[in-house]
Amino acid sequence: DPADETWLITSKLDFTATANEALSFRSKTRFANGAELKVLVSTDFDGTQAGAATATWTELTPTLPSVDDAWTNSGALDLSTINSNSVYIAFKYIGSKSQGKTTTFQLDNIKIYENK
């Protein structure tokens, strides 16, 4: 049974002229029943659909909702150790309709910024 997998990936970001970068967002779930949302960062993604599977992704650890229908702030996710002109941030949904893992996730206020 293949998983239902969906990626939302930013366009290429350049962190070489900035410092203390961070990511934050808000998220909300509905019908929570086991599907997952992962937040990942890569510096070797090639921008192609096939490249999502072959890139090296580092998982970030945001605060995600623990109850349905409540907006939850992710917190400031530290990206300051990345000094690259080829940075991609991905939100990866993993569910399985056949296994009943069909949680919905909503994202809002996604911000990538210098955390001064």
Side-chain angles (χ1 to χ4, degrees):
D1 174 35
D4 298 323
E5 184 177 294
T6 302
W7 292 75
L8 172 65
I9 304 174
T10 65
S11 56
K12 183 167 62 172
L13 305 166
D14 184 347
F15 285 4
T16 57
T18 57
N20 299 317
E21 300 87 358
L23 165 70
S24 68
F25 61 93
R26 293 181 340 133
S27 59
K28 179 169 80 168
T29 59
R30 301 235 29 222
F31 314 109
N33 58 15
E36 300 176 67
L37 180 69
K38 295 182 182 248
V39 183
L40 310 158
V41 63
S42 177
T43 57
D44 67 358
F45 173 58
D46 65 8
T48 67
Q49 183 175 354
T54 59
T56 303
W57 294 98
T58 300
E59 189 169 352
L60 304 176
T61 54
T63 301
L64 294 173
S66 58
V67 297
D68 276 352
D69 295 319
W71 284 105
T72 302
N73 291 319
S74 65
L77 304 172
D78 183 16
L79 303 172
S80 64
T81 60
I82 303 168
N83 184 18
S84 175
N85 66 351
S86 183
V87 179
Y88 293 87
I89 297 170
F91 295 88
K92 180 181 177 183
Y93 173 88
I94 304 164
S96 174
K97 186 174 181 181
S98 66
Q99 293 180 9
K101 296 179 180 180
T102 56
T103 304
T104 62
F105 289 90
Q106 292 177 309
L107 301 174
D108 198 9
N109 295 332
I110 300 169
K111 297 177 187 175
I112 302 163
Y113 58 95
E114 284 188 277
N115 194 12
K116 298 180 180 182

